[in-house]
Amino acid sequence: MHFADRMTPIKPSATLAVTAKAKQMAADGLDVVGFGAGEPDFDTPAFIVDALRSALDNGKTRYTPTAGVPALRDAIAAMFTELYKVPFERAEVMTTVGGKHALYNMFQVLVNPGDEVIIPAPYWVSYPAQVRLAQGTPVHVQCDASEGFTLDVDVVRAAVTDRTVGLVLNSPCNPTGACLSEETLGALADLAEERDFWIISDDIYSFLRYDADGAAATALRARPHLRHRIFIVHGASKTYAMTGWRIGFAGGPAELISKMGTLQGQATSNPTAFAQYGALAALQSDHAFLGEWMKQYDARRRRLTALLNDIDGVECLLPGGAFYVFPDISKILERRFRGEVIGTDLRFSQLLLEHALVAVVPGEPFGGAGHCRLSYAISMQDIDKGMARMKTFIDGLQR
Ligand code: PMP
Ligand code: GLU
């Protein structure tokens, strides 16, 4: 069968693939411990589900405006206004089918063939794929793992060319959990202004931070006067445990949002009508549930990091946000399993899943070879069980 050339470099999403495989193994009756899924293990709060039910009861089953119902757009604008300390209006925000769709629309609207988008590595797997689908070129710059995955502004500066149209910033970061400082974010926004490119600010984990001043450090909060070149990606998935609902939020200059609306109107139309009413209830809530979730994430984060560092050959930083750790396993890759040198993080993940029933995502698809990603959006019991298995597996390898 022949397919369009644009699909040639596109591989299946590694995060979704590992999650699907672990879920399938569990459905087949295997006792898999899944550190793969990038989604909260908490249920969507009942009041959000109730809002969807009442939307259905009230006949909210028809097309809505493409960019979302006005009340939801206003609630997104209010949330952004509070988060970024910059006033947002309805025309500057829209609803999309998940944050992933907001990013997809934005790349389609902003990137011409051959344009470059700078993506700091390690990165979430879908950024380079989406840039390629827009026929752009992803340009990777390396975060410094030895410094807690910080990003050096001069390294980014050296990667800027006349074809640079954007820089992706994701803080807290998937897969490392690292947070960039306000100083770095501000300096990167200044560079964008100086060299005329967009900051693509994926703030989807901005409420999942463990430091006192939570959501403060974002490019827009650091440089409010540069809002004309900052595109915001956010969504309901992570903050409200609504991954399956497929509701994302986008923010930016009204002209860009309107152009994305034009694309969305030809591609997907509105995100599911009744799901929008759930997201509206979520945004308008007091967010009381989040404090309890954050306590649990924090305890799991500390325990998982400690247990990983307890394994000989594994080194793991304590991340500042999201619900991922990204340990360095490069020393283990030199060891042998039943005579075979493990060699790559991909092979390590396969062997760990097959022989220890522990699912982790290999680092290579994130641009972080020699690492693997574990999500701690799972119970403490499962963290303990999975880590005991992983330690036994690694301790059993031949040197
Ligand atoms: N950005 C990052 C960094 C993510 O990890 C995710 C989660 N898949 C998304 C965006 C998009 O999530 P969703 O489409 O579920 O809103
Ligand atoms: N963002 C999550 C992850 O990284 C969900 C899967 C995906 O959309 O990539 O695992």
Side-chain angles (χ1 to χ4, degrees):
M1 216 177 276
H2 289 289
F3 296 105
D5 293 345
R6 74 175 70 84
M7 281 307 291
T8 309
I10 309 300
K11 294 188 192 137
S13 157
T15 47
L16 292 180
V18 170
T19 310
K21 181 153 190 205
K23 281 187 181 166
Q24 184 56 52
M25 287 171 77
D28 292 343
L30 292 166
D31 176 26
V32 177
V33 180
F35 292 97
E39 60 179 347
D41 57 323
F42 303 113
D43 290 331
T44 307
F47 73 89
I48 299 177
V49 179
D50 288 345
L52 174 138
R53 278 209 191 92
S54 93
L56 282 173
D57 290 343
N58 288 306
K60 306 293 187 196
T61 54
R62 302 182 188 279
Y63 294 132
T64 74
T66 298
V69 293
L72 178 56
R73 291 179 79 185
D74 289 347
I76 298 167
M79 186 268 269
F80 283 178
T81 299
E82 194 180 326
L83 175 58
Y84 300 111
K85 310 293 178 212
V86 171
F88 272 85
E89 290 175 11
R90 187 187 295 169
E92 294 165 320
V93 302
M94 69 184 289
T95 314
T96 54
V97 185
K100 197 178 253 180
H101 186 218
L103 285 159
Y104 182 84
N105 284 350
M106 176 274 306
F107 286 128
Q108 291 295 324
V109 162
L110 290 178
V111 175
N112 265 320
D115 282 350
E116 296 171 2
V117 177
I118 302 177
I119 304 174
Y123 44 77
W124 178 46
V125 295
S126 293
Y127 300 137
Q130 293 199 356
V131 170
R132 288 199 182 95
L133 283 168
Q135 294 180 282
T137 307
V139 174
H140 297 305
V141 292
Q142 207 59 44
C143 290
D144 189 347
S146 67
E147 292 286 327
F149 296 106
T150 49
L151 185 55
D152 185 337
V153 179
D154 287 332
V155 170
V156 179
R157 184 185 298 279
V160 177
T161 73
D162 292 344
R163 298 304 309 260
T164 305
V165 292
L167 164 67
V168 177
L169 296 176
N170 176 218
S171 174
C173 168
N174 177 5
T176 63
C179 302
L180 296 176
S181 70
E182 193 161 359
E183 192 190 348
T184 301
L185 292 160
L188 290 166
D190 291 340
L191 179 64
E193 177 72 356
E194 180 193 324
R195 299 295 304 269
D196 188 22
F197 58 81
W198 284 89
I199 294 285
I200 296 136
S201 190
D202 183 346
D203 298 339
I204 200 151
Y205 296 102
S206 69
F207 294 112
L208 308 185
R209 294 185 58 141
Y210 305 99
D211 51 359
D213 194 13
T218 57
L220 182 52
R221 186 106 168 232
R223 293 292 185 274
H225 65 286
L226 299 182
R227 64 179 303 183
H228 56 278
R229 58 174 65 256
I230 299 177
F231 173 73
I232 305 287
V233 185
H234 222 297
S237 286
K238 316 291 172 175
T239 319
Y240 305 111
M242 290 173 67
T243 47
W245 292 58
R246 311 311 303 132
I247 296 289
F249 314 141
E255 215 180 327
L256 170 60
I257 295 298
S258 163
K259 195 57 95 178
M260 286 174 55
T262 303
L263 172 63
Q264 186 156 301
Q266 295 289 18
T268 56
S269 305
N270 60 277
T272 304
F274 34 91
Q276 291 185 51
Y277 287 91
L280 175 60
L283 282 168
Q284 289 177 336
S285 76
D286 62 6
H287 296 78
F289 57 92
L290 201 53
E292 177 50 37
W293 290 0
M294 287 310 290
K295 262 194 234 155
Q296 293 198 43
Y297 283 143
D298 190 19
R300 297 166 180 181
R301 165 182 81 123
R302 291 175 190 281
R303 183 157 186 109
L304 179 58
T305 307
L307 290 173
L308 281 163
N309 282 317
D310 234 22
I311 303 175
D312 179 36
V314 178
E315 283 165 39
C316 187
L317 297 161
L318 184 69
F323 37 63
Y324 308 107
V325 290
F326 199 59
D328 183 340
I329 53 164
S330 50
K331 287 192 190 129
I332 287 160
L333 306 183
E334 297 156 13
R335 300 182 193 167
R336 290 168 189 273
F337 179 77
R338 295 182 185 161
E340 169 199 344
V341 175
I342 294 180
T344 65
D345 50 84
L346 289 163
R347 186 72 184 130
F348 172 78
S349 308
Q350 277 171 351
L351 291 170
L352 189 70
L353 185 55
E354 275 168 37
H355 298 279
L357 295 180
V358 172
V360 302
V361 189
E364 195 266 341
F366 298 99
H371 294 75
C372 60
R373 189 193 78 175
L374 291 84
S375 158
Y376 49 88
I378 65 171
S379 71
M380 202 65 108
Q381 292 94 306
D382 276 349
I383 288 177
D384 287 348
K385 184 157 92 177
M387 282 302 100
R389 289 182 187 176
M390 188 161 160
K391 183 168 165 53
T392 305
F393 177 79
I394 291 175
D395 287 348
L397 299 172
Q398 301 119 22
R399 311 230 176 188

